[in-house]
Amino acid sequence: MGLVSYVKESYSELTNHVSWPTWSEAQKLTVTVAVFSIVFALIVWGIDSVFSKVITNYFSWIKNS
């Protein structure tokens, strides 16, 4: 299987067998992914902040003991 036939088959697959979303569906999905990504980033930031404070307090406690 050569590179040319691979590209031809890939193009045929994309044009004939893939169902593409409508423009409005694509916009809704993009907004959904963006919102989920922001929420997930905020959750990770919050957990990181809590662990950072816990570690800082722990080492401060160890140093003062």
Short mmCIF file of all heavy atoms in Angstrom, two decimals:
data_model
loop_
_atom_site.label_atom_id
_atom_site.label_comp_id
_atom_site.label_asym_id
_atom_site.label_seq_id
_atom_site.Cartn_x
_atom_site.Cartn_y
_atom_site.Cartn_z
N MET A 1 0.85 -1.19 0.00
CA MET A 1 0.00 0.00 0.00
C MET A 1 0.89 1.23 0.00
O MET A 1 1.63 1.48 0.94
CB MET A 1 -0.91 -0.02 1.22
CG MET A 1 -1.81 1.15 1.34
SD MET A 1 -2.87 0.87 2.76
CE MET A 1 -3.95 2.22 2.62
N GLY A 2 0.80 2.00 -1.04
CA GLY A 2 1.63 3.17 -1.16
C GLY A 2 1.01 4.40 -0.52
O GLY A 2 -0.15 4.40 -0.10
N LEU A 3 1.81 5.42 -0.43
CA LEU A 3 1.37 6.67 0.18
C LEU A 3 0.24 7.31 -0.62
O LEU A 3 -0.73 7.81 -0.03
CB LEU A 3 2.56 7.64 0.29
CG LEU A 3 2.26 8.98 0.92
CD1 LEU A 3 1.82 8.81 2.36
CD2 LEU A 3 3.46 9.89 0.83
N VAL A 4 0.30 7.25 -1.93
CA VAL A 4 -0.73 7.87 -2.76
C VAL A 4 -2.08 7.19 -2.55
O VAL A 4 -3.11 7.85 -2.39
CB VAL A 4 -0.32 7.84 -4.25
CG1 VAL A 4 -1.45 8.35 -5.13
CG2 VAL A 4 0.95 8.65 -4.46
N SER A 5 -2.08 5.86 -2.52
CA SER A 5 -3.35 5.15 -2.31
C SER A 5 -3.88 5.39 -0.90
O SER A 5 -5.11 5.49 -0.71
CB SER A 5 -3.20 3.66 -2.58
OG SER A 5 -2.33 3.07 -1.65
N TYR A 6 -3.00 5.54 0.06
CA TYR A 6 -3.43 5.84 1.43
C TYR A 6 -4.13 7.19 1.49
O TYR A 6 -5.19 7.33 2.10
CB TYR A 6 -2.23 5.81 2.38
CG TYR A 6 -2.56 6.25 3.78
CD1 TYR A 6 -3.23 5.41 4.66
CD2 TYR A 6 -2.20 7.53 4.22
CE1 TYR A 6 -3.54 5.82 5.93
CE2 TYR A 6 -2.51 7.95 5.49
CZ TYR A 6 -3.17 7.09 6.35
OH TYR A 6 -3.49 7.50 7.62
N VAL A 7 -3.55 8.18 0.84
CA VAL A 7 -4.14 9.52 0.83
C VAL A 7 -5.48 9.50 0.10
O VAL A 7 -6.46 10.11 0.55
CB VAL A 7 -3.17 10.55 0.20
CG1 VAL A 7 -3.84 11.89 -0.02
CG2 VAL A 7 -1.92 10.71 1.07
N LYS A 8 -5.57 8.79 -1.01
CA LYS A 8 -6.83 8.69 -1.76
C LYS A 8 -7.92 8.03 -0.93
O LYS A 8 -9.06 8.49 -0.90
CB LYS A 8 -6.63 7.91 -3.06
CG LYS A 8 -5.92 8.69 -4.14
CD LYS A 8 -5.77 7.85 -5.40
CE LYS A 8 -5.03 8.60 -6.49
NZ LYS A 8 -4.86 7.79 -7.70
N GLU A 9 -7.57 6.93 -0.26
CA GLU A 9 -8.55 6.23 0.57
C GLU A 9 -8.96 7.08 1.77
O GLU A 9 -10.14 7.08 2.16
CB GLU A 9 -7.98 4.89 1.04
CG GLU A 9 -7.87 3.87 -0.07
CD GLU A 9 -7.23 2.58 0.39
OE1 GLU A 9 -7.14 2.36 1.62
OE2 GLU A 9 -6.81 1.79 -0.48
N SER A 10 -8.03 7.80 2.35
CA SER A 10 -8.36 8.68 3.47
C SER A 10 -9.30 9.78 3.03
O SER A 10 -10.29 10.09 3.71
CB SER A 10 -7.08 9.29 4.06
OG SER A 10 -6.26 8.29 4.59
N TYR A 11 -9.03 10.38 1.89
CA TYR A 11 -9.90 11.44 1.36
C TYR A 11 -11.30 10.89 1.06
O TYR A 11 -12.30 11.51 1.40
CB TYR A 11 -9.29 12.05 0.10
CG TYR A 11 -10.13 13.15 -0.49
CD1 TYR A 11 -10.15 14.42 0.09
CD2 TYR A 11 -10.94 12.92 -1.59
CE1 TYR A 11 -10.93 15.43 -0.43
CE2 TYR A 11 -11.73 13.92 -2.12
CZ TYR A 11 -11.73 15.17 -1.53
OH TYR A 11 -12.52 16.15 -2.04
N SER A 12 -11.35 9.70 0.47
CA SER A 12 -12.63 9.07 0.17
C SER A 12 -13.41 8.80 1.46
O SER A 12 -14.62 9.02 1.51
CB SER A 12 -12.41 7.77 -0.59
OG SER A 12 -13.61 7.06 -0.73
N GLU A 13 -12.72 8.34 2.47
CA GLU A 13 -13.37 8.06 3.76
C GLU A 13 -13.94 9.35 4.36
O GLU A 13 -15.07 9.37 4.84
CB GLU A 13 -12.35 7.45 4.73
CG GLU A 13 -12.91 7.06 6.08
CD GLU A 13 -13.74 5.80 6.06
OE1 GLU A 13 -13.57 4.98 5.14
OE2 GLU A 13 -14.57 5.65 6.97
N LEU A 14 -13.17 10.42 4.31
CA LEU A 14 -13.63 11.69 4.89
C LEU A 14 -14.79 12.30 4.13
O LEU A 14 -15.68 12.92 4.71
CB LEU A 14 -12.47 12.69 4.95
CG LEU A 14 -11.42 12.43 6.02
CD1 LEU A 14 -10.25 13.38 5.85
CD2 LEU A 14 -12.03 12.59 7.40
N THR A 15 -14.81 12.15 2.80
CA THR A 15 -15.87 12.77 2.01
C THR A 15 -17.12 11.92 1.89
O THR A 15 -18.22 12.46 1.73
CB THR A 15 -15.36 13.12 0.60
OG1 THR A 15 -14.86 11.94 -0.02
CG2 THR A 15 -14.28 14.17 0.64
N ASN A 16 -17.00 10.61 1.96
CA ASN A 16 -18.15 9.74 1.71
C ASN A 16 -18.73 9.04 2.93
O ASN A 16 -19.90 8.65 2.92
CB ASN A 16 -17.78 8.68 0.67
CG ASN A 16 -17.40 9.29 -0.67
OD1 ASN A 16 -17.97 10.29 -1.08
ND2 ASN A 16 -16.41 8.71 -1.33
N HIS A 17 -17.92 8.84 3.97
CA HIS A 17 -18.38 7.99 5.07
C HIS A 17 -18.45 8.69 6.42
O HIS A 17 -18.97 8.11 7.37
CB HIS A 17 -17.48 6.76 5.20
CG HIS A 17 -17.43 5.92 3.95
ND1 HIS A 17 -18.49 5.17 3.52
CD2 HIS A 17 -16.45 5.75 3.03
CE1 HIS A 17 -18.17 4.55 2.39
NE2 HIS A 17 -16.93 4.90 2.06
N VAL A 18 -17.94 9.88 6.52
CA VAL A 18 -17.97 10.61 7.79
C VAL A 18 -19.17 11.53 7.80
O VAL A 18 -19.42 12.25 6.83
CB VAL A 18 -16.66 11.43 7.98
CG1 VAL A 18 -16.74 12.30 9.23
CG2 VAL A 18 -15.46 10.51 8.05
N SER A 19 -19.92 11.49 8.90
CA SER A 19 -21.05 12.42 9.03
C SER A 19 -20.57 13.64 9.82
O SER A 19 -20.22 13.53 10.98
CB SER A 19 -22.24 11.75 9.71
OG SER A 19 -21.89 11.34 11.00
N TRP A 20 -20.55 14.77 9.14
CA TRP A 20 -20.06 16.00 9.75
C TRP A 20 -21.21 16.72 10.45
O TRP A 20 -22.34 16.72 9.97
CB TRP A 20 -19.46 16.91 8.68
CG TRP A 20 -18.26 16.30 8.03
CD1 TRP A 20 -18.23 15.60 6.87
CD2 TRP A 20 -16.94 16.28 8.53
NE1 TRP A 20 -16.96 15.17 6.60
CE2 TRP A 20 -16.14 15.58 7.61
CE3 TRP A 20 -16.32 16.81 9.66
CZ2 TRP A 20 -14.78 15.37 7.79
CZ3 TRP A 20 -14.96 16.61 9.85
CH2 TRP A 20 -14.21 15.90 8.91
N PRO A 21 -20.94 17.36 11.59
CA PRO A 21 -22.01 18.09 12.28
C PRO A 21 -22.36 19.37 11.52
O PRO A 21 -21.56 19.89 10.75
CB PRO A 21 -21.39 18.43 13.63
CG PRO A 21 -19.92 18.45 13.39
CD PRO A 21 -19.67 17.42 12.32
N THR A 22 -23.57 19.83 11.76
CA THR A 22 -23.96 21.12 11.18
C THR A 22 -23.20 22.23 11.88
O THR A 22 -22.58 22.02 12.93
CB THR A 22 -25.47 21.35 11.32
OG1 THR A 22 -25.78 21.45 12.72
CG2 THR A 22 -26.28 20.24 10.69
N TRP A 23 -23.26 23.43 11.30
CA TRP A 23 -22.54 24.57 11.87
C TRP A 23 -23.03 24.88 13.28
O TRP A 23 -22.23 25.13 14.19
CB TRP A 23 -22.69 25.79 10.96
CG TRP A 23 -21.98 27.00 11.48
CD1 TRP A 23 -22.56 28.14 11.90
CD2 TRP A 23 -20.57 27.18 11.63
NE1 TRP A 23 -21.59 29.03 12.31
CE2 TRP A 23 -20.37 28.46 12.16
CE3 TRP A 23 -19.46 26.37 11.38
CZ2 TRP A 23 -19.10 28.96 12.44
CZ3 TRP A 23 -18.20 26.88 11.66
CH2 TRP A 23 -18.03 28.15 12.18
N SER A 24 -24.34 24.83 13.51
CA SER A 24 -24.87 25.13 14.84
C SER A 24 -24.47 24.05 15.85
O SER A 24 -24.17 24.36 17.01
CB SER A 24 -26.38 25.30 14.80
OG SER A 24 -27.00 24.09 14.42
N GLU A 25 -24.45 22.80 15.42
CA GLU A 25 -23.99 21.72 16.31
C GLU A 25 -22.53 21.90 16.66
O GLU A 25 -22.13 21.71 17.82
CB GLU A 25 -24.19 20.35 15.65
CG GLU A 25 -25.61 19.88 15.55
CD GLU A 25 -25.73 18.58 14.79
OE1 GLU A 25 -24.91 18.32 13.89
OE2 GLU A 25 -26.67 17.82 15.09
N ALA A 26 -21.72 22.27 15.69
CA ALA A 26 -20.30 22.48 15.93
C ALA A 26 -20.08 23.62 16.91
O ALA A 26 -19.21 23.54 17.80
CB ALA A 26 -19.57 22.75 14.62
N GLN A 27 -20.86 24.69 16.79
CA GLN A 27 -20.74 25.82 17.72
C GLN A 27 -21.12 25.40 19.14
O GLN A 27 -20.44 25.74 20.10
CB GLN A 27 -21.61 26.98 17.26
CG GLN A 27 -21.07 27.70 16.06
CD GLN A 27 -21.99 28.82 15.61
OE1 GLN A 27 -23.21 28.70 15.69
NE2 GLN A 27 -21.40 29.90 15.13
N LYS A 28 -22.23 24.67 19.27
CA LYS A 28 -22.67 24.22 20.59
C LYS A 28 -21.63 23.29 21.23
O LYS A 28 -21.33 23.40 22.42
CB LYS A 28 -24.01 23.49 20.49
CG LYS A 28 -25.17 24.40 20.21
CD LYS A 28 -26.46 23.61 20.04
CE LYS A 28 -27.59 24.50 19.58
NZ LYS A 28 -28.82 23.77 19.31
N LEU A 29 -21.08 22.38 20.44
CA LEU A 29 -20.07 21.47 20.97
C LEU A 29 -18.79 22.21 21.36
O LEU A 29 -18.16 21.88 22.36
CB LEU A 29 -19.77 20.38 19.94
CG LEU A 29 -20.90 19.38 19.68
CD1 LEU A 29 -20.55 18.47 18.51
CD2 LEU A 29 -21.18 18.56 20.92
N THR A 30 -18.43 23.22 20.58
CA THR A 30 -17.25 24.01 20.90
C THR A 30 -17.43 24.75 22.22
O THR A 30 -16.53 24.78 23.07
CB THR A 30 -16.94 25.01 19.77
OG1 THR A 30 -16.72 24.27 18.56
CG2 THR A 30 -15.73 25.85 20.08
N VAL A 31 -18.60 25.34 22.42
CA VAL A 31 -18.89 26.04 23.67
C VAL A 31 -18.88 25.06 24.83
O VAL A 31 -18.33 25.35 25.90
CB VAL A 31 -20.23 26.80 23.58
CG1 VAL A 31 -20.67 27.32 24.94
CG2 VAL A 31 -20.11 27.95 22.59
N THR A 32 -19.46 23.88 24.64
CA THR A 32 -19.48 22.86 25.69
C THR A 32 -18.06 22.46 26.09
O THR A 32 -17.75 22.38 27.28
CB THR A 32 -20.26 21.62 25.22
OG1 THR A 32 -21.58 22.01 24.87
CG2 THR A 32 -20.30 20.55 26.28
N VAL A 33 -17.21 22.22 25.12
CA VAL A 33 -15.82 21.84 25.41
C VAL A 33 -15.09 22.97 26.11
O VAL A 33 -14.35 22.74 27.07
CB VAL A 33 -15.10 21.41 24.11
CG1 VAL A 33 -13.61 21.27 24.34
CG2 VAL A 33 -15.67 20.11 23.60
N ALA A 34 -15.29 24.21 25.67
CA ALA A 34 -14.63 25.36 26.29
C ALA A 34 -15.06 25.52 27.75
O ALA A 34 -14.23 25.71 28.64
CB ALA A 34 -14.91 26.62 25.50
N VAL A 35 -16.36 25.42 28.00
CA VAL A 35 -16.87 25.56 29.38
C VAL A 35 -16.34 24.43 30.25
O VAL A 35 -15.87 24.67 31.38
CB VAL A 35 -18.41 25.60 29.39
CG1 VAL A 35 -18.97 25.44 30.79
CG2 VAL A 35 -18.91 26.88 28.75
N PHE A 36 -16.39 23.20 29.76
CA PHE A 36 -15.88 22.08 30.53
C PHE A 36 -14.39 22.25 30.83
O PHE A 36 -13.94 21.97 31.95
CB PHE A 36 -16.11 20.76 29.78
CG PHE A 36 -15.56 19.57 30.51
CD1 PHE A 36 -16.23 19.02 31.59
CD2 PHE A 36 -14.35 19.01 30.14
CE1 PHE A 36 -15.72 17.93 32.28
CE2 PHE A 36 -13.82 17.92 30.82
CZ PHE A 36 -14.51 17.38 31.89
N SER A 37 -13.62 22.72 29.86
CA SER A 37 -12.19 22.92 30.05
C SER A 37 -11.92 23.97 31.12
O SER A 37 -11.02 23.80 31.96
CB SER A 37 -11.52 23.33 28.74
OG SER A 37 -11.65 22.31 27.78
N ILE A 38 -12.69 25.05 31.11
CA ILE A 38 -12.50 26.10 32.12
C ILE A 38 -12.87 25.59 33.50
O ILE A 38 -12.14 25.81 34.47
CB ILE A 38 -13.33 27.35 31.74
CG1 ILE A 38 -12.72 28.01 30.51
CG2 ILE A 38 -13.41 28.34 32.89
CD1 ILE A 38 -13.59 29.08 29.88
N VAL A 39 -13.99 24.88 33.61
CA VAL A 39 -14.40 24.33 34.90
C VAL A 39 -13.36 23.35 35.42
O VAL A 39 -12.98 23.37 36.60
CB VAL A 39 -15.80 23.68 34.80
CG1 VAL A 39 -16.14 22.87 36.03
CG2 VAL A 39 -16.86 24.74 34.54
N PHE A 40 -12.88 22.47 34.56
CA PHE A 40 -11.88 21.49 34.96
C PHE A 40 -10.60 22.18 35.40
O PHE A 40 -9.98 21.79 36.40
CB PHE A 40 -11.61 20.52 33.80
CG PHE A 40 -10.74 19.37 34.18
CD1 PHE A 40 -11.22 18.35 34.98
CD2 PHE A 40 -9.42 19.29 33.74
CE1 PHE A 40 -10.41 17.29 35.34
CE2 PHE A 40 -8.61 18.25 34.08
CZ PHE A 40 -9.10 17.23 34.89
N ALA A 41 -10.17 23.22 34.68
CA ALA A 41 -8.97 23.96 35.05
C ALA A 41 -9.14 24.62 36.41
O ALA A 41 -8.21 24.64 37.24
CB ALA A 41 -8.64 24.99 33.98
N LEU A 42 -10.31 25.18 36.68
CA LEU A 42 -10.57 25.80 37.98
C LEU A 42 -10.55 24.78 39.11
O LEU A 42 -10.04 25.05 40.21
CB LEU A 42 -11.90 26.55 37.95
CG LEU A 42 -11.92 27.83 37.12
CD1 LEU A 42 -13.35 28.37 37.02
CD2 LEU A 42 -10.98 28.87 37.70
N ILE A 43 -11.09 23.60 38.85
CA ILE A 43 -11.06 22.53 39.86
C ILE A 43 -9.62 22.12 40.15
O ILE A 43 -9.23 21.99 41.32
CB ILE A 43 -11.92 21.32 39.41
CG1 ILE A 43 -13.40 21.69 39.43
CG2 ILE A 43 -11.66 20.10 40.27
CD1 ILE A 43 -14.30 20.67 38.77
N VAL A 44 -8.83 21.92 39.11
CA VAL A 44 -7.43 21.53 39.30
C VAL A 44 -6.67 22.63 40.04
O VAL A 44 -5.88 22.36 40.95
CB VAL A 44 -6.76 21.20 37.95
CG1 VAL A 44 -5.26 21.04 38.10
CG2 VAL A 44 -7.37 19.94 37.36
N TRP A 45 -6.92 23.90 39.68
CA TRP A 45 -6.28 25.02 40.36
C TRP A 45 -6.65 25.04 41.84
O TRP A 45 -5.80 25.26 42.70
CB TRP A 45 -6.68 26.33 39.68
CG TRP A 45 -6.22 27.54 40.44
CD1 TRP A 45 -4.97 28.05 40.49
CD2 TRP A 45 -7.03 28.36 41.28
NE1 TRP A 45 -4.95 29.15 41.31
CE2 TRP A 45 -6.20 29.38 41.80
CE3 TRP A 45 -8.38 28.36 41.63
CZ2 TRP A 45 -6.68 30.36 42.66
CZ3 TRP A 45 -8.85 29.34 42.48
CH2 TRP A 45 -8.01 30.32 42.99
N GLY A 46 -7.92 24.81 42.15
CA GLY A 46 -8.37 24.78 43.54
C GLY A 46 -7.71 23.67 44.34
O GLY A 46 -7.23 23.90 45.47
N ILE A 47 -7.66 22.48 43.78
CA ILE A 47 -7.02 21.36 44.47
C ILE A 47 -5.54 21.64 44.65
O ILE A 47 -4.98 21.38 45.73
CB ILE A 47 -7.27 20.05 43.69
CG1 ILE A 47 -8.75 19.67 43.76
CG2 ILE A 47 -6.39 18.92 44.22
CD1 ILE A 47 -9.14 18.53 42.85
N ASP A 48 -4.89 22.19 43.64
CA ASP A 48 -3.47 22.52 43.73
C ASP A 48 -3.23 23.56 44.82
O ASP A 48 -2.26 23.45 45.59
CB ASP A 48 -2.97 23.02 42.39
CG ASP A 48 -1.49 23.35 42.41
OD1 ASP A 48 -0.69 22.44 42.74
OD2 ASP A 48 -1.13 24.50 42.08
N SER A 49 -4.09 24.55 44.92
CA SER A 49 -3.94 25.59 45.95
C SER A 49 -4.08 24.99 47.34
O SER A 49 -3.31 25.33 48.24
CB SER A 49 -4.99 26.69 45.75
OG SER A 49 -4.78 27.35 44.53
N VAL A 50 -5.06 24.13 47.52
CA VAL A 50 -5.26 23.50 48.83
C VAL A 50 -4.04 22.65 49.20
O VAL A 50 -3.52 22.76 50.32
CB VAL A 50 -6.55 22.65 48.84
CG1 VAL A 50 -6.63 21.77 50.07
CG2 VAL A 50 -7.77 23.55 48.73
N PHE A 51 -3.57 21.82 48.28
CA PHE A 51 -2.41 20.99 48.58
C PHE A 51 -1.17 21.84 48.84
O PHE A 51 -0.35 21.51 49.70
CB PHE A 51 -2.14 19.99 47.46
CG PHE A 51 -3.03 18.78 47.50
CD1 PHE A 51 -3.57 18.28 46.33
CD2 PHE A 51 -3.33 18.14 48.68
CE1 PHE A 51 -4.39 17.17 46.34
CE2 PHE A 51 -4.15 17.03 48.71
CZ PHE A 51 -4.68 16.55 47.54
N SER A 52 -1.03 22.93 48.13
CA SER A 52 0.12 23.81 48.33
C SER A 52 0.09 24.40 49.73
O SER A 52 1.13 24.44 50.42
CB SER A 52 0.10 24.93 47.29
OG SER A 52 1.15 25.83 47.52
N LYS A 53 -1.07 24.84 50.20
CA LYS A 53 -1.18 25.39 51.55
C LYS A 53 -0.93 24.31 52.60
O LYS A 53 -0.28 24.56 53.61
CB LYS A 53 -2.55 26.02 51.74
CG LYS A 53 -2.72 27.31 50.96
CD LYS A 53 -4.00 28.00 51.31
CE LYS A 53 -4.30 29.17 50.41
NZ LYS A 53 -3.29 30.16 50.28
N VAL A 54 -1.44 23.11 52.36
CA VAL A 54 -1.23 22.02 53.31
C VAL A 54 0.25 21.68 53.41
O VAL A 54 0.79 21.54 54.53
CB VAL A 54 -2.05 20.77 52.90
CG1 VAL A 54 -1.63 19.54 53.68
CG2 VAL A 54 -3.53 21.04 53.08
N ILE A 55 0.93 21.58 52.29
CA ILE A 55 2.37 21.25 52.30
C ILE A 55 3.16 22.37 52.98
O ILE A 55 4.06 22.10 53.79
CB ILE A 55 2.88 21.02 50.86
CG1 ILE A 55 2.20 19.81 50.23
CG2 ILE A 55 4.38 20.90 50.81
CD1 ILE A 55 2.63 18.48 50.81
N THR A 56 2.83 23.62 52.66
CA THR A 56 3.53 24.76 53.28
C THR A 56 3.33 24.76 54.78
O THR A 56 4.30 24.94 55.55
CB THR A 56 3.01 26.08 52.68
OG1 THR A 56 3.23 26.07 51.27
CG2 THR A 56 3.72 27.27 53.30
N ASN A 57 2.10 24.55 55.23
CA ASN A 57 1.83 24.51 56.67
C ASN A 57 2.52 23.32 57.34
O ASN A 57 3.01 23.44 58.47
CB ASN A 57 0.34 24.47 56.94
CG ASN A 57 -0.33 25.79 56.63
OD1 ASN A 57 0.31 26.83 56.65
ND2 ASN A 57 -1.62 25.74 56.34
N TYR A 58 2.57 22.19 56.67
CA TYR A 58 3.22 21.01 57.24
C TYR A 58 4.71 21.26 57.45
O TYR A 58 5.24 20.99 58.52
CB TYR A 58 3.02 19.80 56.30
CG TYR A 58 3.80 18.58 56.71
CD1 TYR A 58 3.39 17.83 57.82
CD2 TYR A 58 4.94 18.20 56.03
CE1 TYR A 58 4.10 16.72 58.20
CE2 TYR A 58 5.66 17.09 56.40
CZ TYR A 58 5.24 16.36 57.49
OH TYR A 58 5.96 15.25 57.89
N PHE A 59 5.38 21.80 56.43
CA PHE A 59 6.81 22.06 56.57
C PHE A 59 7.08 23.18 57.56
O PHE A 59 8.10 23.17 58.26
CB PHE A 59 7.46 22.34 55.21
CG PHE A 59 7.71 21.10 54.41
CD1 PHE A 59 7.00 20.88 53.24
CD2 PHE A 59 8.59 20.13 54.86
CE1 PHE A 59 7.22 19.71 52.50
CE2 PHE A 59 8.80 18.98 54.14
CZ PHE A 59 8.12 18.76 52.95
N SER A 60 6.19 24.14 57.66
CA SER A 60 6.32 25.19 58.66
C SER A 60 6.18 24.59 60.06
O SER A 60 6.94 24.95 60.97
CB SER A 60 5.25 26.26 58.42
OG SER A 60 5.29 27.22 59.43
N TRP A 61 5.26 23.68 60.22
CA TRP A 61 5.06 23.01 61.51
C TRP A 61 6.28 22.17 61.88
O TRP A 61 6.72 22.17 63.03
CB TRP A 61 3.80 22.15 61.43
CG TRP A 61 3.52 21.37 62.68
CD1 TRP A 61 3.10 21.83 63.87
CD2 TRP A 61 3.67 19.95 62.83
NE1 TRP A 61 2.95 20.80 64.77
CE2 TRP A 61 3.30 19.63 64.15
CE3 TRP A 61 4.07 18.93 61.96
CZ2 TRP A 61 3.33 18.33 64.62
CZ3 TRP A 61 4.08 17.65 62.45
CH2 TRP A 61 3.72 17.36 63.77
N ILE A 62 6.84 21.45 60.88
CA ILE A 62 8.02 20.62 61.11
C ILE A 62 9.22 21.50 61.49
O ILE A 62 9.98 21.17 62.41
CB ILE A 62 8.36 19.80 59.84
CG1 ILE A 62 7.29 18.74 59.58
CG2 ILE A 62 9.73 19.14 59.94
CD1 ILE A 62 7.24 17.63 60.59
N LYS A 63 9.37 22.63 60.82
CA LYS A 63 10.51 23.53 61.07
C LYS A 63 10.42 24.12 62.49
O LYS A 63 11.45 24.29 63.14
CB LYS A 63 10.51 24.64 60.03
CG LYS A 63 11.67 25.58 60.13
CD LYS A 63 11.60 26.63 59.04
CE LYS A 63 12.77 27.59 59.16
NZ LYS A 63 12.73 28.63 58.13
N ASN A 64 9.21 24.44 62.94
CA ASN A 64 9.05 25.05 64.25
C ASN A 64 9.02 24.05 65.39
O ASN A 64 9.05 24.45 66.55
CB ASN A 64 7.78 25.90 64.28
CG ASN A 64 7.88 27.10 63.36
OD1 ASN A 64 8.96 27.63 63.13
ND2 ASN A 64 6.74 27.53 62.83
N SER A 65 8.97 22.78 65.09
CA SER A 65 8.91 21.77 66.15
C SER A 65 10.26 21.44 66.71
O SER A 65 11.29 21.62 66.20
CB SER A 65 8.26 20.48 65.64
OG SER A 65 6.92 20.70 65.36
#
